[in-house]
Amino acid sequence: FPVTVALIEHPQHGFTLVDTGLGDAYFKALRLFPAQLLSSFLDALPEAEGSVAVQLQHLSLHVDRILLTHLHPDHVGGLCDLLEVFPQAEVLLSGEALYAAERATGRTLWTRLLALRQGLLPDLFPSEALKNSRRLQLADDLPWTPLGPEWSPFNQAADLFGDGSVRLVRLPGHAAGQLGAVLKTPMGFTLLGADAAWSFRAVQRQRGALGVAQLIVHDYNAERALLRGLAELAERRPEVQMLFSHGREARDLAMSQIERPRNDEWKTRTPR
């Protein structure tokens, strides 16, 4: 299955990368126990084009901020690589996700096993190094404002840039503090739904995590409630495009570009 990220270009606020994909740090982490256990469930292969950091360098793009939807390895595995290439990039995530990472950080075997049980590899997210850094921003500190009933199941959103182009929403269930982003596009709206669902088809069928993925779900009831809400949103507002990190819909849009006219210019790009 694909592991996708999104790259959002804003005319005033530069480039925002949504998630990081897998990177060199991830594959190095798998050499050690107990992280080795993860490779028996997730047999990942690197892209021929290289990590996201390498691909962005080849495109001569500068990343200003990195939005981490949640801290599972396939979403944060390229963070260390990216921060080496873009040391001034701001890292944005939820306070709940940061707290989960801090609790899971430790050198004892028991702590590492508990972290793995939550789907976390703490070495991939240097919480101790980042939490006192000016580069770290918590989504909780942004102004969250109510949304109308037409956006249910989302009752609040944080306007990242203050112009309605990118609004952060909470996606409870799959992982602690999971965030998504609603983008205003020329065709309407696009929801970057992270791992709230496996794919849009899973939303339509209200099908939650399957197989081994069930073992790391943070809150089953919240996951199911969110799926129901997303299915109702899709039926009520079919113009809202929903993309999920591992769905074929996101893969099919990889390397595509959506561009506004010059008088309302901002772009979204979705590199693989």
Side-chain angles (χ1 to χ4, degrees), residues 101-123:
E102 291 176 336
R103 289 187 61 190
T105 299
R107 294 295 174 184
T108 68
L109 177 60
W110 179 246
T111 301
R112 288 179 172 271
L113 285 171
L114 286 177
L116 196 62
R117 173 64 179 79
Q118 300 172 58
L120 300 175
L121 292 180
D123 289 342

Side-chain angles (χ1 to χ4, degrees), residues 185-245:
T185 76
M187 298 174 293
F189 294 94
T190 297
L191 168 67
L192 299 180
D195 283 1
W198 187 260
S199 65
F200 183 61
R201 173 179 280 190
V203 169
Q204 292 173 311
R205 297 181 177 182
Q206 296 185 43
R207 187 179 64 199
L210 300 174
V212 175
Q214 296 182 60
L215 299 177
I216 61 171
V217 172
H218 178 68
D219 186 327
Y220 292 99
N221 292 332
E223 180 194 53
R224 298 291 175 175
L226 179 59
L227 278 171
R228 288 193 298 271
L230 289 175
E232 292 168 1
L233 175 62
E235 185 174 350
R236 186 172 64 250
R237 301 196 62 177
E239 78 278 8
V240 178
Q241 183 182 37
M242 297 185 184
L243 299 177
F244 302 95
S245 298

Side-chain angles (χ1 to χ4, degrees), residues 141-161:
D141 295 335
L142 297 172
W144 288 75
T145 57
L147 289 174
E150 70 275 11
W151 279 106
S152 177
F154 310 122
N155 55 21
Q156 283 186 320
D159 192 341
L160 185 58
F161 301 126

Side-chain angles (χ1 to χ4, degrees), residues 80-108:
C80 293
D81 299 355
L82 284 158
L83 291 179
E84 286 184 9
V85 177
F86 308 108
Q88 301 305 314
E90 180 181 84
V91 177
L92 175 64
L93 76 162
S94 72
E96 185 181 358
L98 177 62
Y99 179 65
E102 291 176 336
R103 289 187 61 190
T105 299
R107 294 295 174 184
T108 68

Side-chain angles (χ1 to χ4, degrees), residues 3-272:
V3 175
T4 59
V5 304
L7 186 65
I8 304 168
E9 182 181 4
H10 190 281
Q12 282 81 46
H13 299 281
F15 285 99
T16 299
L17 182 68
V18 182
D19 287 330
T20 72
L22 301 172
D24 291 341
Y26 171 78
F27 293 103
K28 289 177 182 177
L30 294 186
R31 299 173 188 170
L32 303 175
F33 185 84
Q36 290 171 331
L37 297 174
L38 187 62
S39 62
S40 62
F41 300 111
L42 180 62
D43 187 13
L45 297 173
E47 272 286 350
E49 296 91 339
S51 67
V52 172
V54 170
Q55 292 185 53
L56 290 172
Q57 281 183 297
H58 287 166
L59 292 170
S60 299
L61 297 179
H62 176 81
V63 173
D64 297 278
R65 70 194 54 77
I66 301 168
L67 168 62
L68 301 175
T69 62
H70 60 292
L71 300 183
H72 286 167
D74 50 333
H75 295 260
V76 75
L79 180 63
C80 293
D81 299 355
L82 284 158
L83 291 179
E84 286 184 9
V85 177
F86 308 108
Q88 301 305 314
E90 180 181 84
V91 177
L92 175 64
L93 76 162
S94 72
E96 185 181 358
L98 177 62
Y99 179 65
E102 291 176 336
R103 289 187 61 190
T105 299
R107 294 295 174 184
T108 68
L109 177 60
W110 179 246
T111 301
R112 288 179 172 271
L113 285 171
L114 286 177
L116 196 62
R117 173 64 179 79
Q118 300 172 58
L120 300 175
L121 292 180
D123 289 342
L124 302 181
F125 181 78
S127 58
E128 290 299 322
L130 279 174
K131 69 179 182 180
N132 296 319
S133 170
R134 294 176 62 185
R135 294 181 299 174
L136 185 67
Q137 181 181 10
L138 297 183
D140 310 57
D141 295 335
L142 297 172
W144 288 75
T145 57
L147 289 174
E150 70 275 11
W151 279 106
S152 177
F154 310 122
N155 55 21
Q156 283 186 320
D159 192 341
L160 185 58
F161 301 126
D163 59 4
S165 62
V166 181
R167 290 180 291 176
L168 305 183
V169 292
R170 296 184 177 94
L171 301 172
H174 175 74
Q178 181 174 232
L179 297 172
V182 176
L183 312 181
K184 187 178 181 182
T185 76
M187 298 174 293
F189 294 94
T190 297
L191 168 67
L192 299 180
D195 283 1
W198 187 260
S199 65
F200 183 61
R201 173 179 280 190
V203 169
Q204 292 173 311
R205 297 181 177 182
Q206 296 185 43
R207 187 179 64 199
L210 300 174
V212 175
Q214 296 182 60
L215 299 177
I216 61 171
V217 172
H218 178 68
D219 186 327
Y220 292 99
N221 292 332
E223 180 194 53
R224 298 291 175 175
L226 179 59
L227 278 171
R228 288 193 298 271
L230 289 175
E232 292 168 1
L233 175 62
E235 185 174 350
R236 186 172 64 250
R237 301 196 62 177
E239 78 278 8
V240 178
Q241 183 182 37
M242 297 185 184
L243 299 177
F244 302 95
S245 298
H246 306 303
R248 294 185 182 275
E249 300 90 354
R251 183 200 64 181
D252 293 342
L253 281 177
M255 306 307 292
S256 69
Q257 181 172 306
I258 305 170
E259 191 168 337
R260 277 183 179 269
R262 290 186 179 276
N263 61 352
D264 195 10
E265 54 184 32
W266 67 283
K267 309 170 186 175
T268 65
R269 301 179 185 178
T270 54
R272 290 184 294 173

